Amino acid sequence: GIQVEQSPPDLILQEGANSTLRCNFSDSVNNLQWFHQNPWGQLINLFYIPSGTKQNGRLSATTVATERYSLLYISSSQTTDSGVYFCAVEGGGSYIPTFGRGTSLIVHP
Amino acid sequence: DTAVSQTPKYLVTQMGNDKSIKCEQNLGHDTMYWYKQDSKKFLKIMFSYNNKELIINETVPNRFSPKSPDKAHLNLHINSLELGDSAVYFCASSLAWGAGNTIYFGEGSWLTVV
């Protein structure tokens, strides 16, 4: 099946800083989503982005399917951005949403 | 209204017991999933159903048995619980199988086996 790798595994920021999270995948992609798991465990959809660029407030995402990666940008980070960010990918002939191991983000006030 | 709801949210039980987790979605979706999240936060698919039919059954012990009475419900029954079954179990749904749709998750069920 498709392999999904996320980097960095851990990230610590001061409030107001910007960051870039990366998701690499091993095969052609049909679907790619970014999720935020908050400290209470809820998994929240951020973006559905199999290709191209989208923006939602301080967050934006870009997927370059031909180069097999996606980036999630967080600008002017806030403490409420803390949590784990996952990308989930369907591809390589499979329709199974496969998750990366996540990036754990801590934003300090 | 909660789109994907799971019950119970917390479950503490003894080894050897049998327990069930229920999931319901009110989004009108055809596809539902069960994922297991381990202590290292890794999310691994267990099962997927499309229109009440099983389409994915990953390498999961046969003590785990999903049941879908209709396309809005996907329940998970676990027999003879073991310590290693302790995890968070997430139910999810999407519009249709293989259509590249957004996945919506329930709030998770925290299972602790003692």
Side-chain angles (χ1 to χ4, degrees):
Chain A
I2 195 165
Q3 305 299 310
V4 182
E5 291 183 0
Q6 291 186 242
S7 59
D10 300 284
L11 190 55
I12 300 175
L13 299 174
Q14 208 66 33
E15 205 167 26
N18 302 329
S19 61
T20 301
L21 282 57
R22 188 176 181 103
C23 173
N24 290 335
F25 41 93
S26 62
D27 212 324
S28 58
V29 61
N30 304 318
N31 181 10
L32 188 145
Q33 296 175 63
W34 283 97
F35 293 88
H36 175 219
Q37 187 168 35
N38 64 23
W40 295 270
Q42 279 185 296
L43 280 158
I44 299 160
N45 282 301
L46 297 176
F47 293 102
Y48 166 75
I49 187 162
S51 63
T53 297
K54 290 186 178 178
Q55 178 146 13
N56 184 3
R58 297 180 296 103
L59 271 58
S60 64
T62 295
T63 297
V64 184
T66 51
E67 297 187 22
R68 300 184 181 170
Y69 72 88
S70 183
L71 302 173
L72 178 70
Y73 305 96
I74 305 173
S75 64
S76 305
S77 56
Q78 300 176 357
T79 56
T80 52
D81 295 331
S82 296
V84 184
Y85 290 81
F86 291 100
C87 70
V89 182
E90 292 174 38
S94 168
Y95 297 120
I96 301 172
T98 300
F99 280 75
R101 291 193 170 266
T103 292
S104 177
L105 173 65
I106 298 173
V107 180
H108 288 302
Chain B
D1 272 350
T2 304
V4 182
S5 57
Q6 302 178 222
T7 54
K9 189 171 175 70
Y10 300 102
L11 185 54
V12 181
T13 187
Q14 290 189 321
M15 275 196 305
N17 283 352
D18 302 339
K19 290 294 176 187
S20 293
I21 306 171
K22 295 186 176 181
C23 179
E24 175 181 4
Q25 53 94 4
N26 63 6
L27 297 167
H29 288 172
D30 283 350
T31 304
M32 296 184 73
Y33 310 85
W34 277 109
Y35 278 85
K36 179 180 179 181
Q37 187 172 44
D38 63 22
S39 58
K40 295 183 179 176
K41 302 281 190 181
F42 182 47
L43 277 155
K44 185 171 168 51
I45 190 146
M46 300 174 69
F47 302 103
S48 181
Y49 272 69
N50 188 60
N51 260 321
K52 304 191 300 175
E53 299 296 322
L54 178 66
I55 48 173
I56 296 173
N57 182 352
E58 290 295 292
T59 310
V60 176
N62 58 15
R63 298 181 295 102
F64 290 78
S65 53
K67 283 193 171 53
S68 182
D70 55 62
K71 72 174 193 177
H73 294 85
L74 180 61
N75 303 324
L76 183 64
H77 188 75
I78 315 170
N79 289 327
S80 303
L81 278 154
E82 300 177 358
L83 292 176
D85 297 332
S86 296
V88 186
Y89 293 85
F90 284 96
C91 178
S93 73
S94 63
L95 185 61
W97 174 248
N101 303 122
T102 301
I103 304 168
Y104 295 89
F105 280 86
E107 295 194 340
S109 295
W110 271 252
L111 172 65
T112 302
V113 183
V114 297

